[in-house]
Amino acid sequence: MKYMLDSNIIVYLTMNANEYVVRRAAECDEGDLVTSAIAYAEVAFGSLNEQPPVIEQLRAFVEEVPVLNFDYKAALAYASLPFKRGSFDRLIAAHALSHDLIMVTHNEKHFADVPGLKIENWTVAA
């Protein structure tokens, strides 16, 4: 595992909505990509409430990209973060930190204040 995909990146990949994201993901080796159960829950909630992607696309996505369970290591990482406000993004950031993964997101500012978190934005040309 190398990269944790945020919910917006999941949407881009399932919809082929951003050529840079699709290309960058294709360059990764098998096993490099995971997503958090928290990010998956965000996207699944949208899918079940008629927002893209449709649930079948999301199911196909997780056949290729594993969903990492939020475990006690992630919970402890979350508890140790300087508290700004509780949010799904902070839970996802803690999850990435607990596994020493690079956070891939389009919403860099949502994660910028998390100490030690490595962030990449694949939605723009490298």
Side-chain angles (χ1 to χ4, degrees):
M1 295 182 297
K2 187 173 181 180
Y3 300 104
M4 178 166 286
L5 306 180
D6 191 15
S7 53
N8 52 51
I9 301 301
I10 295 170
V11 172
Y12 291 143
L13 284 171
T14 57
M15 305 294 297
N16 286 317
N18 182 294
E19 67 179 290
Y20 301 118
V21 172
V22 172
R23 185 179 320 134
R24 185 63 183 89
E27 293 170 356
C28 290
D29 292 329
E30 187 173 333
D32 278 354
L33 305 177
V34 296
T35 191
S36 171
I38 307 299
Y40 177 80
E42 284 187 294
V43 179
F45 179 81
S47 293
L48 294 173
N49 286 282
E50 300 182 13
Q51 295 177 24
V54 296
I55 198 69
E56 292 78 15
Q57 289 172 306
L58 188 56
R59 286 186 185 125
F61 173 80
V62 298
E63 288 179 17
E64 299 295 323
V65 177
V67 176
L68 195 59
N69 289 330
F70 192 89
D71 59 10
Y72 76 96
K73 286 177 22 180
L76 289 174
Y78 177 77
S80 69
L81 290 178
F83 194 78
K84 302 288 184 187
R85 61 177 168 66
S87 71
F88 291 132
D89 289 337
R90 288 207 82 72
L91 289 167
I92 296 165
H95 204 180
L97 282 169
S98 72
H99 290 277
D100 195 30
L101 298 172
I102 299 166
M103 187 77 240
V104 180
T105 185
H106 179 65
N107 295 324
E108 295 170 90
K109 67 180 180 179
H110 292 186
F111 297 94
D113 67 341
V114 177
L117 182 65
K118 295 173 241 146
I119 304 167
E120 290 187 11
N121 182 350
W122 291 357
T123 64
V124 294

